[in-house]
Amino acid sequence: MVNVPFSTSAFGKALFTGIGARQPTVSVLGDSYGAFVGYAIQYATWRYYAADILFDQRNNASGGSMFAVGGTSTAQMLSTQVPQFQARPSDIAFIWTGYNSSPTSLVTAQSEAANITQSADALIAAGCKLVVIFGHGPKVTVTPWAVESMNTIL
């Protein structure tokens, strides 16, 4: 038997009592890190929580819930992926972005954090019940304190 941290029925009841009898849906936004976390979410939902969560790993163009695209900046996510999400919102959204926009100053760190928080606010306004934001590791060429500032702002 596989050791699961909690039962699927407890998971479903704890998080989604207000959604009703249907399975809550999941979407992923961001850059290639978002796409990678999408694969982990897909496995976890299939393996442990199939009865509780619906995640369609296909990309947005194919009608799926994967909005994340490698190489995307936070500004591109805000201008492209967020409107796509708003057209077909889900109950839970994961955002993992920022690597392609790696801040090199406090000003850019604040700008990147603003793009991410504006994205999260727009997802909630579209009906999303829970938004999970992941931080990112710095590129080698990035000033570490700027990345830390961005993650602190978030």
Side-chain angles (χ1 to χ4, degrees), residues 23-27 45 49-56 65 90-91:
Q23 286 179 305
T25 54
V26 176
S27 292
T45 56
Y49 307 111
D52 294 316
I53 299 175
L54 178 63
F55 177 55
D56 186 344
S65 303
S90 66
D91 300 308

Side-chain angles (χ1 to χ4, degrees), residues 34-140:
F36 292 142
V37 79
Y39 292 114
I41 293 167
Q42 178 187 26
Y43 176 77
T45 56
W46 168 79
R47 180 69 176 95
Y48 300 113
Y49 307 111
D52 294 316
I53 299 175
L54 178 63
F55 177 55
D56 186 344
Q57 175 65 27
R58 295 176 301 154
N59 65 23
N60 176 58
S62 300
S65 303
M66 176 57 75
F67 299 95
V69 176
T72 301
S73 68
T74 60
Q76 292 166 327
M77 179 186 69
L78 181 59
S79 67
T80 305
Q81 295 176 21
V82 169
Q84 292 170 344
F85 177 92
Q86 290 169 324
R88 201 173 59 249
S90 66
D91 300 308
I92 306 169
F94 290 87
I95 296 175
W96 193 331
T97 190
Y99 186 82
N100 299 307
S101 310
S102 292
T104 56
S105 69
L106 183 56
V107 173
T108 56
Q110 291 171 335
S111 173
E112 299 308 324
N115 289 341
I116 294 168
T117 55
Q118 286 174 27
S119 295
D121 290 342
L123 302 183
I124 291 168
C128 189
K129 309 285 188 281
L130 174 66
V131 177
V132 179
I133 300 173
F134 292 93
H136 74 92
K139 290 183 180 178
V140 174

